[in-house]
């Protein structure tokens, strides 16, 4: 991915950065999210520490679990579908039953 990003024109980076840096912080409102949630986080994610994933799950009013994807970085669902798809399927079946 890094190689692909480095080949893009610099002016294309603005919108990608804006979606990360210009959004509202709703951390103090997470308890207002009432729908079931499942948190998926890679153990090798260098961008966001595992503690933040744990805090997110704790703060959501109906978090059904935290899937810690062993060896995965930031895009665990893409790089480790064998560890993500089963629990995700189970979660979706549970909340749609």
């Amino acid at each position: 991915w890094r190689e692909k990003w480095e080949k893009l024109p610099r002016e294309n980076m603005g919108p990608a950065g804006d979606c990360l840096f210009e959004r509202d912080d709703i951390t103090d409102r997470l308890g207002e999210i009432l729908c079931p949630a499942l948190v998926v986080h890679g153990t090798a994610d260098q961008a966001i520490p595992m503690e933040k994933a744990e805090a997110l799950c704790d703060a959501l009013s109906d978090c059904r679990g935290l899937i810690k994807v062993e060896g995965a970085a930031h895009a665990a669902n893409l790089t480790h579908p064998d560890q993500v798809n089963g629990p995700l399927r189970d979660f979706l079946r549970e909340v749609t039953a």
Side-chain angles (χ1 to χ4, degrees):
W1 284 105
R2 182 177 177 180
E3 186 178 315
K4 287 182 181 182
W5 277 89
E6 288 176 348
K7 289 180 182 177
L8 293 173
R10 293 282 180 218
E11 58 271 11
N12 289 3
M13 297 302 146
D18 289 347
C19 78
L20 296 173
F21 302 122
E22 299 298 327
R23 62 182 171 198
D24 293 336
D25 180 2
I26 63 162
T27 304
D28 60 339
R29 299 185 62 201
L30 289 173
E32 296 175 32
I33 298 172
L34 303 178
C35 63
L38 181 68
V39 176
V40 177
H41 196 79
T43 62
D45 188 337
Q46 294 182 2
I48 301 171
M50 184 61 71
E51 293 78 22
K52 290 214 175 215
E54 292 166 344
L56 174 62
C57 189
D58 289 343
L60 291 166
S61 64
D62 193 8
C63 185
R64 303 288 177 95
L66 168 60
I67 301 171
K68 295 180 180 181
V69 185
E70 194 59 44
H74 195 63
N77 60 316
L78 298 176
T79 60
H80 293 70
D82 56 317
Q83 293 182 50
V84 175
N85 289 346
L88 179 57
R89 183 177 42 250
D90 295 342
F91 167 76
L92 293 172
R93 284 184 178 142
E94 177 186 333
V95 299
T96 59

